[in-house]
Amino acid sequence: MKYLITEYGDLLLTAMGQTLLLALYGLFFACIIGLIFGMLSVVKNKVCNAIAFVFVYIIRGVPMIVLAYFVFFGIPFFINNYLHGSLILSALQAGTICLALNCGAYMAEIIRGGIQSVDKGQMEAARSLGLPYWRAMQRVVLPQAIKNILPALGNEFVTVIKESSIVSVIGLADLMFRTNDVIALTFKSLACLAIAALCYFAMT
């Protein structure tokens, strides 16, 4: 194991940086997606509720590896062949979209729960003072909801780091991808996987 760390440590450290970068990108866009669909799920509009419901349950019901292949291969194929576009996604872009969609579905439920955990009297008081619904949500309800969801947000970031290993199947040079490279060069699968496990443990 010492030889592997000495010989391939720099490669694995770079791959860890790529993994963290992907996780940060994924979580950033997931928060935006989660906020949008979380808000849609709590407004008093059946169409908005239905849109949020369909998005959350479809994305949560699709394995991430299928979603990764669909984003990386399926979307460019559809756009280029049926819409006559010229879309080419890099592995990082496709991985970010994949993680953002998957994590965004869970974030939508976390944000919905956070909003519903705020006492209804807060919204009623804000509306009684003349604030429009969306301004009351922005200034009064959401700040309290965000405080409630911070622990769940931290857990989701840990989950994103671990699940990012799946996008190695589309060629992103993350930690798992480089670990497989080292295994192919050294044939020391157990030691390489142990090092990868320690790296993921350190990041999370």
Side-chain angles (χ1 to χ4, degrees), residues 123-182:
M123 174 61 80
E124 293 170 0
R127 295 300 303 276
S128 69
L129 292 173
L131 286 177
Y133 177 84
W134 291 109
R135 183 59 61 85
M137 183 67 73
Q138 175 191 358
R139 295 292 181 87
V140 178
V141 177
L142 277 180
Q144 298 178 69
I146 289 172
K147 184 179 71 173
N148 294 339
I149 68 172
L150 282 178
L153 185 62
N155 290 338
E156 196 61 29
F157 183 58
V158 170
T159 301
V160 169
I161 291 175
K162 293 188 293 185
E163 290 185 344
S164 67
S165 61
I166 293 175
V167 302
S168 63
V169 299
I170 59 174
L172 181 67
D174 68 337
L175 180 57
M176 197 62 219
F177 185 88
R178 290 306 184 195
T179 299
N180 288 327
D181 284 347
V182 176

Side-chain angles (χ1 to χ4, degrees), residues 71-85:
V71 171
F72 190 60
F73 297 110
I75 292 178
F77 177 83
F78 177 80
I79 291 176
N80 296 340
N81 287 275
Y82 295 100
L83 301 181
H84 307 292

